[in-house]
Amino acid sequence: MSGVYGVWHFSFTVADLDRSVDFYAGLLGFELVHRQEQDNDYTRRLVGYPDADLRIAQLAVPGQPRGVSTHDLELVEYRTPRGAPFGPHRNRPGAAHLAMCVADAPGEHARLSKAGVRFVSEPQEITAGINTGGFTCYFLDPDDITLELVQPPRHRLPS
């Protein structure tokens, strides 16, 4: 077999691993699968920092089939070397975001707003494209990483 045949995980670098686990697991409902520290030679070679010392948490979306990796999201805190924040600049090349499927975007917006989550927008009705009739909105995690709630139109929701 050659080429890509699956996605292992997606990853975000965070300033405070414990705070981010609380946000993603406690508030958004991801399942914490595993935590580990990576202070070893292979990790230093992998990330390209000769003094790298990382804390990592692996999380999964509940109810989704588990692939070989057993997790969907990896959160990485660089204890060494610390980096400067990227900020909420969605228009910068290299910026990324994670979109999560929800059944009720306005309801999740209200719940998360009440918990102090910072939103870029209220839920917007999708008026063009394959998801016409659904709703979507952007919000920020504790490190200003852009996240998105997507409520697909009724005909695309699981039965």
Side-chain angles (χ1 to χ4, degrees):
M1 177 183 295
S2 64
V4 174
Y5 66 91
V7 173
W8 189 262
H9 65 240
F10 50 90
S11 180
F12 294 138
T13 299
V14 300
D16 179 327
L17 188 68
D18 297 324
R19 177 184 71 179
S20 292
V21 167
D22 287 347
F23 181 84
Y24 284 91
L27 193 58
L28 296 183
F30 281 73
E31 174 188 327
L32 178 61
V33 174
H34 181 72
R35 284 181 186 251
Q36 65 192 45
E37 297 189 9
Q38 289 190 213
D39 184 7
N40 57 61
D41 290 333
Y42 105 82
T43 297
R44 292 180 185 99
R45 289 190 305 271
L46 170 68
V47 300
Y49 294 110
D51 59 346
D53 178 3
L54 286 57
R55 294 178 64 216
I56 294 177
Q58 298 167 338
L59 299 105
V61 177
Q64 294 295 307
R66 292 289 160 258
V68 176
S69 71
T70 73
H71 63 284
D72 303 305
L73 171 62
E74 178 180 80
L75 301 174
V76 178
E77 176 187 346
Y78 278 78
R79 288 189 286 210
T80 305
R82 298 294 286 186
F86 186 83
H89 310 289
R90 290 170 293 286
N91 64 336
R92 286 177 52 188
H97 77 274
L98 167 64
M100 294 164 281
C101 188
V102 297
D104 178 12
E108 283 300 300
H109 176 271
R111 180 182 75 83
L112 294 172
S113 292
K114 187 175 180 179
V117 172
R118 299 166 297 143
F119 277 83
V120 174
S121 64
E122 302 277 327
Q124 302 296 308
E125 183 175 0
I126 301 169
T127 59
I130 192 168
N131 289 312
T132 296
F135 289 87
T136 187
C137 57
Y138 273 2
F139 64 107
L140 302 173
D141 88 343
D143 289 295
D144 290 334
I145 295 168
T146 300
L147 303 172
E148 181 180 8
L149 298 177
V150 179
Q151 175 185 329
R154 288 189 192 274
H155 72 276
R156 296 198 69 201
L157 285 172
S159 334

